[in-house]
Each structure stands twice: as structure tokens, then as C-alpha cells.
Amino acid sequence: MATFLYRVGRLAFRRRWYVALVWAAVLAAVGLGALKAPGAADEGFSMPGIESQKAFDLMEERFPGATADGATARVVFVAPRGEKVTAAEHRKAVEDTVAQLADGSQVASAVNPFQAKAVSKDGTTAYATVTYKVAADDFTDASKAQLRKALDEARDAGLTVDAGGTAMDDRGGAGGAAEVIGVAIAAVVLLVTFGSLAAAGLPLLTAIIGVGVSMATILALSDALGLSTTTGTLAMMLGLAVGIDYALFVVSRYREERAKGRAPQEATALAVGTAGSAVVFAGLTVVIALAGLSVVGIPMLTKMGLAAAGAVVVGVLIALTLVPAFLGFWPNAVLSRRARRSGRVEQERRDNGGTRWARFVLRRPLPVLILGVLGLGALALPMTSLQLGMPGDEAKPASTTERRAYDALAEGFGPGFNGPLTVVVDAKGDDDAKGAAATIAKEVGATEGVVSVSPARFNEAGDTAVFSVVPSTAPTDERTKNLVTTIRGERPGVESATGATFEVTGTTALNIDISEKVQSALVPYLIVVVGLAIVLLLVVFRSLLVPLKAALGFLLSVLAALGAVVVVFQEGHGSGLLGVETTGPIMSLMPIFLVGIVFGLAMDYEVFLVSRMREAYVHGETAAQAVTSGFRHSARVVVAAALIMIAVFAGFIGESDSMIKMIGFGLAAAVLLDAFVVRMALVPAVLALLGDRAWWLPKWLERALPRVDVEGEALTRAAGLPEPAPAPQEAARV
């Protein structure tokens, strides 16, 4: 592997114009394809194998067109304190507003609340449902402006008016500002790390080129492969993250080789052969984690994972080819200012922050290990009370009209009104379909926790009925989940008595089913991803204990990060500092996202840090010397890479959407804990305690594993250059 990549780096340096032109042609080709490709469709969210999805599919089959995904808006009118919306002047204002809403070019219907009996019992609140002919993605600015104008005029009449629904969704692509802030902070970190504008700018430039190629490819293939508009979100975030990281490691190794007296071409080839080998295997671990998202069984999540895996592959290829080509164009520009001024590249000092920290841990490995494990364990404890859900408008800031509409409906019609259940009765083959539906509705309505049941609505064939059930508790309340479980648990007796079957669906039931399926898929996902990564790390490190230590350390850090998320977003401790106004269940997909993304990044840091230790050990240093050597060469770069990732993810905490806040906080916390506690503290502590046993591998397993030469043992012969001598006093210092 190292020898092959050495040749790749040498060729890319020598044929730099060809390499640059090839990547420019690729970017132009996929960019042209993206411009000419049909727009990506919004495929919606589906999860095969759960009851609520089966019920929804049955509704689509028996009620053609009834489940069309046209945009909707629910406009809520609240009378001034002590008054009622049924008063003549308020009623006229409501009806005029509904008439104005119905006049839009994209409007299919606008229902008058007084005709639809959509007025609260106390007469203070009413709501009108507006249905549009187009999906939310096709909702024009003119239609939005017309909706807002109608709301403003109703407010001028003295009513409190707010609106929710898909028509109110902001499709502007949250996180754009966060990405800009993250890139800016990354530039500062790189500049401080390298002390050179060119060295800081090269990883950013190549990462942006890689993201451009990846995103253009996704857009070009979106129609052919059925990719949605949201598929590229994860690809953009991870493509930028790993693109910076991988280029950072190659450039850092290039500077190190130049400091040893190598010529630019040889330094580039050796950098790609050594750091490039770590890049390849780190990239493979990320790809495994992302491709493993298919285990969950959510088509949208599978496509997002595969698209992001493709972006990571592009990032690896960029680091192995375009980065050395750019080093060929500007071989001295990436060096420090002192080296450029003096014309000499000085050998890196033997002592730096990495070596000092490594010696500190090596002298006190047991206390560092115990303190780190206990700290992570304490952070992970709240994870035991994790509650999954899909927060809706109730999780938005109180400053948004959607949140105010949600609160007004809950106050006027009860907390369960915002999350009704939908019961689908399949009476096909039943002689008395109406009687069966009535019996099922009566039994469901008698269940404790049910406030009301709507009249059943039949399809044209008369063999399928649908009715709504309003719970007494909020959609994310644990009692609502128990209610759904109770209704489904009583089903066998009801079905045997009526001869008809029924299923429970609706947004609330769908969210409950998704949470349960994701929770049950989390352990298999961890087994698949961690298991494959352990096998890969066995090949990389040729050690039995190092991969196991890496996997256990990751599990500790990810559980601690999830515990921190629970503390802030579920229990509310410190939520005010982050601007979180409402606490509640953790987003269902959050643990899967956290595990997949952070596992890949954690293995990046593991491979980059420990591969340098392995390299030093293979080249004759003792186990303790190898730990110090690994930190001397890699600690600063790993810290810089981790700070960049933390900055990118933490930027999302500033967004107003609570789910984006949650994702940003969780990812930033996980990277912080994994990089600085696990990789920088627990890893050297464990290696110090194990000594030479850390690199032990059974003979039979050593013979079975393929040799890939990640450490570059063959590079000295391939390059035809003497290997620099190790530090003579390092053993005494340790």
C-alpha cells in the first residue's frame, strides 16, 4: 500500500498539470450535468415494515389522491381576552381572511371554521385549514406573501393570528451560515497550526473542490437515482470535514519530510505513501460507518449515507492526487515563513507540546485512565433515560408563528389536538363494513386517554374507513405512546368480533413507530459498523488489542455525548445558555447520525495518531518511545483537525431550529470527548500499561491477515534514500 501510494504521489507531483486538468474537467463535467439534470424531487419520508407506514400505504391504495403531499397551512384565530371569535365583528374578520386565503392561484381549498365546526368549546379559538395544489417545495414566494398579507390584515382587525403547517416551512437550507463560520474558524486554526497562508489555504481549497465535485454529482444523479433534496446535506457536511482533515495530514507530513532534508518531489511522494496510507484506511472506516446506515431500514437514510460515503471517497482521492499536484506547483509556499526566508528547512524540534503531554501520561497512565473512564462514564449515565421522538412545532422558538399556533390550538382544543391518531379500517370482504367501522370506533373511543373520535369516512368502494382519534395528551407525551400501544394491544379481540382489521397511523403514530424501530436498530448497527472497523484496524495495526481499545474508547465517547445531549435537550440543564426554549424527547435519528458520523471521525484520529506510533515501533523504537514519537509528529495536527470539526459542528448550535441545535451540539460534544479525552489521554495511557503487548498478534492471525505496509517499511528501498536516525536520548526522557 505505502509503496503504491508513494508512486501515486510521485506521479501526481511530476504530472501536476495533467492531474489539475483532470480534476478541473471532472468538476466541469459534473457541474454541467447538475445544471442540465431535472430538479430533485421531494420523495417524502417512508419506513417500510412499521404499522403506521402500512396503514398509510393502504390509505393511498384505497383513497387515491387523498394522501397527496400538497402544502397545507392551518391558520389559528384567537379572540382578545374576554371575547369570543363567534362575535359578529370577529366572525366577519375570520370569514374575510378565509375568503382572501382561498383567492390564491395555488390554493386548492380554504375551509371556513364556522362551517367546519372548527371552533373551541369556549368560543375563544378557531382555525381554518388551507390546502394548496402544489407541494411545499413548489410553494412560490407570491403565495407565501399572499398568506402573510392575509394574516396581517386579520391581526389589524384585533385578532391574534398565527399559522402552522408545511406551507410555513422555511426551505432556505439551514446551516449555510454555520458552514461559512466553520470554514472561517478552520482557516484560523490551520493558519495557527502551520504559520503559513498557503499551508492553511491548500486544505481548504482542495476540500471545497471535493465538495463541489460531490454535490454536483449528487445533483446530476438525483433524478436517475431518486435522490431527494435532503440527500446531499450529510454529504456536504462530511465532505468538507474529511476533505480538510485528509489534506491537512498530507501537507503536515510533507513539511515534516522537507524538514528531514528531502527534496520536494521525494517529500511529496513519501507524504502520500505514509500519511496517504492512513488517509485511505481512515476513509474506509468512515465509508463503512456511512454505508452501515442501510442497516436501519430507512430508504432516505440509506441514500444519505451512501451519498456521504461517495463524498468521503472523493475527499480521499483529492488528498492522494490533487494535494500532491498542488505541492508540485508551490513546493515552498506551504513551508513556514522562517523556512522560506532563510532558504533552509529546519528539522522539527524534538520537544513540543505533544511530547510533553505524552510523557506526562506515560508517567501516570493508571490515574489518567481511571479519571478518563470515570468522567466519561458519569457523562454517559443520563443516557439510560433517553427518550426518542420527532419534535414538531412545539420544539420551535416561541418567536415563530408555528410555535404560537401550536400553543394556541393546545390551549383552545386540548394538548392532544396537535397530534391526532388516524385509524384505518379494512373491511374488505365484510358484509357489514359500516357496522364494523362503527364498532371499532366505539371501542377505540372508550379507551382511557381518548378525548374524541371523528365520524368515519369511507372510500368509493365502501370497504375502507378512516377516522381520527384525539388523545388527551400531547404528541410527544409518554402517555400518548402508551395509548397507541394500548389501542393496538386491544386489537385482536375487536377484530375477531367485527371481522374487519384496523391499523393506527398519523404523524404521532408514525413518530412513535420510527423511534421504536431506530432504537431497536441501534445495537445491530453498532455491531456491524464496529465489527467491520475492528477487522480493518487489525489489518492496519497488525495488533489484537489496539483495535479493541479503539472500539471501546469510541463507545465510551459516543455514549457520553448522548448523555450530554439528554442532560441539555431532554432534562433542560443549561438549555438556556444554548437558546433552547423547549425540552423534550431526543430526535429519533439523532443517535444513528451521531454514531455514524462520529465513529468515522474518531477512527480518523485513531488511525492518524496510532499509525505514527506503529510506524516508530516497527522502525525499532521501544513501546514507550513509539508513543512519544507518535505524539511528537501527530498530536498538533490531530488537535487542529479536531478543533476544525468542533468549530464546524458547533456553528449549528447558533441556528434557531432546536433539532439543528441538537445535532450540532451532539456532534461537537462527541468530537471533543473522543479527540481530547479518548485519543489524547486514554489511548496513550492504555498503550503505556500494555507496553509491547499492545502490538501482539497471534501467529495464526498474523499469517492470515494481508500485509498492506501502512508504516512504509518498503519506502526506504523504493525511494532509495537513507532513513533518518531516531532520537538518541528519547528513551532517557521517557
Side-chain angles (χ1 to χ4, degrees):
M1 172 67 73
T3 304
F4 170 74
L5 292 178
Y6 168 88
R7 292 170 182 161
V8 169
R10 189 183 181 93
L11 181 65
F13 185 98
R14 293 173 57 194
R15 306 294 185 186
R16 47 191 172 272
W17 280 107
Y18 292 104
V19 173
L21 289 173
V22 166
W23 277 110
V26 169
L27 181 58
V30 295
L32 184 63
L35 290 175
K36 292 188 172 295
D42 187 357
E43 63 176 344
F45 186 90
S46 64
M47 182 180 278
I50 59 176
E51 177 176 324
S52 49
Q53 184 66 47
K54 294 176 183 176
F56 185 81
D57 294 341
L58 180 63
M59 288 175 62
E60 283 192 320
E61 177 188 344
R62 305 286 177 86
F63 294 86
T67 58
D69 57 352
T72 60
R74 188 151 64 175
V75 182
V76 185
F77 305 90
V78 180
R81 184 178 298 275
E83 301 181 29
K84 297 184 178 182
V85 291
T86 52
E89 68 274 17
H90 296 322
R91 177 168 183 150
K92 183 179 185 305
V94 171
E95 290 177 338
D96 288 347
T97 302
V98 173
Q100 186 177 350
L101 290 170
D103 196 34
S105 59
Q106 292 186 315
V107 177
S109 65
V111 181
N112 189 319
F114 302 108
Q115 295 176 356
K117 298 181 181 180
V119 181
S120 62
K121 291 181 180 179
D122 60 7
T124 61
T125 310
Y127 68 90
T129 302
V130 184
T131 306
Y132 293 88
K133 302 173 185 177
V134 296
D137 282 343
D138 300 320
F139 197 50
T140 64
D141 291 337
S143 295
K144 290 181 181 178
Q146 191 251 359
L147 174 58
R148 294 192 188 101
K149 181 182 178 183
L151 300 185
D152 289 338
E153 291 184 2
R155 293 181 184 120
D156 292 339
L159 295 170
T160 299
V161 186
D162 288 292
T166 56
M168 305 302 297
D169 289 347
D170 182 9
R171 305 272 170 167
E179 293 292 349
V180 173
I181 294 171
V183 170
I185 296 176
V188 173
V189 172
L190 288 170
L191 185 59
V192 172
T193 301
F194 287 133
S196 163
L197 284 173
L202 194 151
L204 291 175
L205 175 61
T206 54
I208 291 171
I209 293 172
V211 169
V213 171
S214 302
M215 295 306 298
T217 304
I218 291 171
L219 290 175
L221 299 176
S222 60
D223 184 63
L225 300 182
L227 305 179
S228 69
T229 53
T230 58
T231 303
T233 305
L234 185 61
M236 178 182 293
M237 182 169 60
L238 271 185
L240 184 63
V242 302
I244 295 174
D245 272 6
Y246 296 164
L248 169 65
F249 281 100
V250 173
V251 172
S252 176
R253 187 60 183 254
Y254 169 79
R255 286 162 54 105
E256 183 183 324
E257 294 299 332
R258 287 294 305 274
K260 294 176 182 177
R262 314 290 195 198
Q265 181 173 295
E266 288 301 328
T268 301
L270 288 167
V272 176
T274 52
S277 298
V279 164
V280 169
F281 283 97
L284 281 175
T285 60
V286 182
V287 168
I288 288 172
L290 294 170
L293 290 172
S294 57
V295 172
V296 183
I298 304 176
M300 182 194 74
L301 197 58
T302 299
K303 292 177 181 179
M304 288 181 71
L306 293 177
V312 172
V313 171
V314 171
V316 171
L317 294 176
I318 288 276
L320 299 179
T321 56
L322 190 58
V323 170
F326 281 173
L327 290 175
F329 286 120
W330 304 286
N332 295 324
V334 299
L335 302 179
S336 66
R337 183 179 302 176
R338 178 185 299 177
R340 293 197 306 273
R341 285 178 177 175
S342 64
R344 294 183 299 104
V345 183
E346 298 180 358
Q347 181 78 11
E348 182 182 3
R349 292 180 305 167
R350 288 300 177 186
D351 284 329
N352 57 27
T355 56
R356 287 190 289 271
W357 171 253
R359 292 192 192 103
F360 171 81
V361 176
L362 289 172
R363 287 194 295 268
R364 307 167 183 84
L366 195 57
V368 169
L369 179 63
I370 293 174
L371 186 63
V373 171
L374 289 178
L376 292 175
L379 276 175
L381 276 178
M383 168 70 178
T384 56
S385 61
L386 174 69
Q387 295 179 7
L388 297 181
M390 293 292 285
D393 288 345
E394 78 279 3
K396 294 183 178 180
S399 58
T400 62
T401 187
E402 297 97 315
R403 169 65 184 278
R404 293 195 300 267
Y406 180 97
D407 291 342
L409 288 171
E411 184 176 349
F413 296 89
F417 185 81
N418 285 296
L421 307 174
T422 301
V423 177
V424 185
V425 179
D426 185 3
K428 196 170 187 177
D430 196 306
D431 295 334
D432 185 12
K434 290 187 177 181
T439 301
I440 292 173
K442 182 180 178 182
E443 291 294 332
V444 171
T447 306
E448 184 180 355
V450 173
V451 173
S452 64
V453 175
S454 70
R457 179 170 60 93
F458 283 84
N459 62 342
E460 290 185 4
D463 59 5
T464 308
V466 174
F467 59 87
S468 295
V469 178
V470 177
S472 60
T473 50
T476 56
D477 196 305
E478 192 70 16
R479 290 170 292 180
T480 304
K481 177 181 177 180
N482 296 335
L483 173 63
V484 173
T485 304
T486 300
I487 292 174
R488 289 172 173 171
E490 295 173 349
R491 180 165 43 198
V494 178
E495 288 181 344
S496 62
T498 60
T501 62
F502 72 90
E503 292 172 324
V504 182
T505 186
T507 303
T508 300
L510 180 66
N511 291 341
I512 292 171
D513 290 347
I514 289 172
S515 300
E516 291 181 349
K517 182 165 184 177
V518 168
Q519 207 156 6
S520 63
L522 188 57
V523 173
Y525 176 62
L526 276 171
I527 292 173
V528 170
V529 170
V530 175
L532 289 174
I534 286 176
V535 172
L536 189 63
L537 293 178
L538 275 172
V539 175
V540 175
F541 296 129
R542 306 195 69 79
S543 161
L544 188 62
L545 298 179
V546 169
L548 292 175
K549 174 263 307 171
L552 291 174
F554 161 74
L555 289 175
L556 265 178
S557 61
V558 80
L559 289 176
L562 280 173
V565 170
V566 170
V567 167
V568 175
F569 290 88
Q570 183 174 304
E571 299 177 357
H573 302 294
S575 58
L577 298 175
L578 301 180
V580 180
E581 299 185 19
T582 304
T583 58
I586 305 304
M587 186 179 68
S588 299
L589 299 181
M590 175 64 187
I592 292 289
F593 270 122
L594 192 70
V595 170
I597 296 173
V598 176
F599 180 78
L601 294 175
M603 292 303 104
D604 278 0
Y605 306 141
E606 176 77 13
V607 170
F608 287 129
L609 185 62
V610 181
S611 64
R612 292 307 302 266
M613 299 178 189
R614 170 72 180 172
E615 182 180 337
Y617 186 76
V618 168
H619 289 165
E621 294 188 14
T622 66
Q625 286 177 317
V627 172
T628 308
S629 294
F631 269 81
R632 178 192 308 116
H633 297 300
S634 297
R636 183 177 63 174
V637 186
V638 168
V639 167
L643 289 176
I644 289 169
M645 294 304 99
I646 293 169
V648 170
F649 295 141
F652 289 91
I653 299 176
E655 295 291 327
S656 59
D657 191 296
S658 65
M659 287 187 287
I660 297 177
K661 281 181 181 289
M662 188 185 300
I663 292 172
F665 176 83
L667 292 175
V671 172
L672 175 68
L673 295 172
D674 194 272
F676 291 101
V677 178
V678 175
R679 308 303 152 193
M680 303 297 290
L682 299 189
V683 165
V686 171
L687 292 178
L689 291 172
L690 291 175
D692 290 328
R693 290 169 295 180
W695 308 109
W696 171 78
L697 188 68
K699 294 294 183 183
W700 63 270
L701 187 55
E702 186 175 7
R703 290 191 296 268
L705 290 176
R707 285 193 172 273
V708 292
D709 189 22
V710 176
E711 301 81 21
E713 291 179 84
L715 284 184
T716 302
R717 296 188 300 272
L721 291 172
E723 183 180 348
Q729 297 177 345
E730 198 57 51
R733 288 177 178 171
V734 173

